[in-house]
């Protein structure tokens, strides 16, 4: 989060901390259901659909350095099985904890003259902006860590047949006769020769019958 970024108080993932004041030990508990933002999860693998309900249970605590947020997010995630490509749906529960620092205080809560001098440190920190905190980046990180990198429809999913694409879990006895490609051409040649021999044998029998009839006459 960028220091001095403007947060919109109308954003459902932005929370007002003014009630806490800056009294260490002050506590606020919140429960809120919000619409999932776009691309919440592992893109192209599994995630919470945009607009789906996300339940948030939050604990906001005022500390010397800022506001400590501890929470749990619950939602339904959707994706596809990496083995058989069937749809996958699972309950998601992601826990998170993050400190939102006061921009005018250092790590020990002491005022500093010019906040944000160390740009690299600021990139890894979250800040209280005009009494507001934005949870979206924290929520995104928590959801990604809670989701499986390789979702499966069931633990023993056998995937798809590499030859015809049939889902093997639906047909446990499915198989294909193995043919060595080195012999396939010879088998075809043997088949054609066999057909030719049968034709010759059929022709010889006809000629012999004609000869026998002539001898009888």
């Amino acid at each position: 989060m960028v220091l001095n970024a403007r947060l919109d108080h109308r954003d459902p993932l932005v929370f007002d901390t003014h009630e806490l004041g800056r009294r260490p030990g002050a506590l606020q508990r919140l429960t809120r259901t919000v619409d999932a933002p776009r691309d919440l999860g592992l893109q192209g693998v599994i995630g919470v659909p945009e607009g789906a309900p996300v339940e948030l249970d939050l604990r906001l605590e005022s500390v010397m350095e800022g506001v400590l947020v501890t929470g749990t997010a619950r939602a339904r995630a959707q994706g596809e099985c990496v083995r058989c490509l069937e749809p996958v749906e699972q309950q998601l529960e992601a826990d998170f904890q993050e400190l939102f620092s006061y921009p005018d205080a250092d790590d020990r809560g002491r005022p500093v003259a010019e906040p944000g001098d160390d740009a690299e440190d600021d990139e890894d920190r979250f800040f209280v902006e005009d009494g507001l905190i934005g949870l979206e980046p924290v929520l995104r990180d928590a959801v990604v860590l809670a989701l499986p990198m390789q979702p499966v429809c069931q633990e023993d999913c056998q995937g798809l047949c590499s030859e015809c694409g049939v889902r093997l879990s639906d047909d446990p006895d499915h198989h294909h006769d193995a043919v060595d490609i080195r012999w396939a051409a010879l088998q075809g040649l043997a088949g054609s020769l066999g057909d030719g021999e049968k034709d010759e044998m059929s022709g010889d029998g006809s000629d012999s019958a004609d000869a026998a009839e002539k001898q009888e006459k």
Side-chain angles (χ1 to χ4, degrees):
M1 181 175 178
V2 180
L3 187 62
N4 295 326
R6 292 294 179 180
L7 295 176
D8 186 349
H9 68 278
R10 296 168 296 181
D11 187 328
L13 288 171
V14 171
F15 293 81
D16 193 330
T17 67
H18 282 99
E19 290 187 14
L20 291 175
R22 296 184 69 159
R23 305 182 306 276
L27 186 66
Q28 186 178 12
R29 295 184 183 276
L30 298 172
T31 299
R32 181 181 295 183
T33 299
V34 302
D35 293 340
R38 184 178 180 181
D39 297 331
L40 182 60
L42 300 169
Q43 192 169 2
V45 180
I46 189 171
V48 181
E50 182 178 3
V54 180
E55 298 177 4
L56 298 175
D57 290 329
L58 303 175
R59 180 177 183 270
L60 280 60
E61 181 180 3
S62 179
V63 296
M64 289 293 294
E65 301 90 343
V67 177
L68 180 65
V69 179
T70 305
T72 300
R74 299 180 181 87
R76 295 293 295 179
Q78 298 178 2
E80 66 177 25
C81 177
V82 295
R83 299 177 187 171
C84 69
L85 307 182
E86 287 292 307
V88 171
E89 185 172 325
Q90 68 176 57
Q91 183 64 32
L92 165 71
E93 184 168 310
D95 298 323
F96 54 88
Q97 185 175 71
E98 191 64 56
L99 174 65
F100 289 79
S101 302
Y102 295 126
D104 59 348
D106 64 12
D107 291 339
R108 289 166 290 181
R110 300 182 304 187
V112 294
E114 297 182 3
D117 284 344
D118 192 333
E120 292 184 0
D121 288 345
D122 288 348
E123 290 180 358
D124 298 329
R125 297 171 62 187
F126 297 90
F127 293 90
V128 179
E129 300 293 337
D130 297 327
L132 303 176
I133 58 174
L135 282 186
E136 182 172 337
V138 177
L139 176 63
R140 288 187 178 279
D141 290 345
V143 167
V144 167
L145 291 176
L147 288 172
M149 297 294 292
Q150 295 185 319
V152 291
C153 58
Q154 54 190 32
E155 291 299 326
D156 60 348
C157 176
Q158 300 180 47
L160 302 176
C161 174
S162 60
E163 294 189 35
C164 66
V166 168
R167 188 169 181 263
L168 298 177
S169 296
D170 295 335
D171 186 4
D173 297 327
H174 178 80
H175 70 281
H176 294 271
D177 294 332
V179 177
D180 192 326
I181 59 174
R182 294 173 297 179
W183 295 102
L186 292 178
Q187 289 178 348
L189 179 60
S192 62
L193 290 176
D195 293 340
E197 291 175 354
K198 291 178 182 178
D199 292 341
E200 291 178 2
M201 292 177 64
S202 175
D204 291 344
S206 175
D207 294 341
S208 299
D210 292 342
E213 290 179 2
K214 292 179 181 179
Q215 289 178 357
E216 290 176 359
K217 292 178 180 179

